[in-house]
Amino acid sequence: FLNPTIYRVAASVVLLMVAGGIGFWYVDRQAKEAELLALRQEMEATRKMVFALLDNNESASQRLMGVKAAYETPKHDDAIVQALVREMNEDDNANVRLSAIEALGRFSNESLVRKALVESLSNQTDPVVQLALIQVLVQIKEKDALKSLQKMSEDDAVLPSVRDEAHAGIIKINV
């Protein structure tokens, strides 16, 4: 049983198993790196498409598509968030502003986004946009919005439905 041939066979089997394990690990690692590279390239292509669509000043539908593409990005990107904030605050089309608010609501765990939503509340004049902002701020329970909501609820220039929503928002945030 202690024949040297048995030791050689056992050593060969162990060597083949180790080599096979290393080969499997290397192939798996290469596949993961290729997958990661493809994902990065796809993210960059999506990012370029978002900016191209958002910069289209002649077509609100194109800007809406850009906001939708930004909404679907799986990962937070500061440049995309800044573009959405710009659309929320400056776009001429209320539907684009509403979509931007919805997309920003997806990134509401970021302090930059929360701050932009609160600041935008005092700048918006369109009642539909104001209502959407109030709803998002209430949903994320943003305490920094209380001062703006209080001001809106007491402002006679604001539509009664918006004032009521601001007042209800104050109550919901404080609960």
Side-chain angles (χ1 to χ4, degrees):
F1 181 73
L2 298 174
N3 191 348
T5 309
I6 293 176
Y7 289 128
R8 288 184 191 145
V9 169
S12 297
V13 169
V14 168
L15 184 62
L16 283 174
M17 288 174 51
V18 168
I22 290 173
F24 179 75
W25 172 79
Y26 181 75
V27 168
D28 187 51
R29 183 173 169 210
Q30 291 295 332
K32 286 181 181 177
E33 286 179 9
E35 186 178 329
L36 185 60
L37 178 63
L39 185 59
R40 284 183 182 149
Q41 289 172 340
E42 184 180 333
M43 285 290 294
E44 186 59 31
T46 301
R47 192 170 188 246
K48 287 179 182 177
M49 180 188 64
V50 166
F51 290 124
L53 291 170
L54 289 176
D55 288 338
N56 185 345
N57 291 329
E58 296 185 19
S59 172
S61 64
Q62 293 290 311
R63 292 191 307 276
L64 279 169
M65 287 176 34
V67 170
K68 182 179 184 289
Y71 180 84
E72 293 173 352
T73 56
K75 190 175 153 187
H76 170 80
D77 183 334
D78 285 337
I80 289 178
V81 168
Q82 289 296 333
L84 288 171
V85 169
R86 185 186 74 234
E87 293 300 316
M88 172 182 66
N89 289 326
E90 299 173 8
D91 201 279
D92 295 334
N93 188 297
N95 290 326
V96 174
R97 290 196 312 267
L98 289 170
S99 293
I101 291 168
E102 181 181 348
L104 285 168
R106 184 165 184 253
F107 301 114
S108 63
N109 56 339
E110 301 291 328
S111 62
L112 172 73
V113 172
R114 294 170 89 93
K115 182 180 176 188
L117 290 169
V118 171
E119 289 174 359
S120 184
L121 184 60
S122 60
N123 297 332
Q124 295 293 337
T125 57
D126 186 334
V128 174
V129 175
Q130 289 173 329
L131 288 170
L133 271 170
I134 291 169
Q135 290 169 354
V136 169
L137 290 167
V138 168
Q139 182 181 12
I140 63 174
K141 294 202 176 274
E142 181 57 45
K143 298 264 186 206
D144 292 341
L146 289 173
K147 185 176 179 181
S148 296
L149 290 172
Q150 186 67 39
K151 185 177 175 185
M152 285 181 98
S153 69
E154 296 170 353
D155 188 356
D156 289 335
V158 175
L159 285 178
S161 59
V162 176
R163 283 196 316 254
D164 293 344
E165 188 72 23
H167 183 70
I170 293 169
I171 295 169
K172 290 176 185 174
I173 289 174
N174 283 324
V175 170

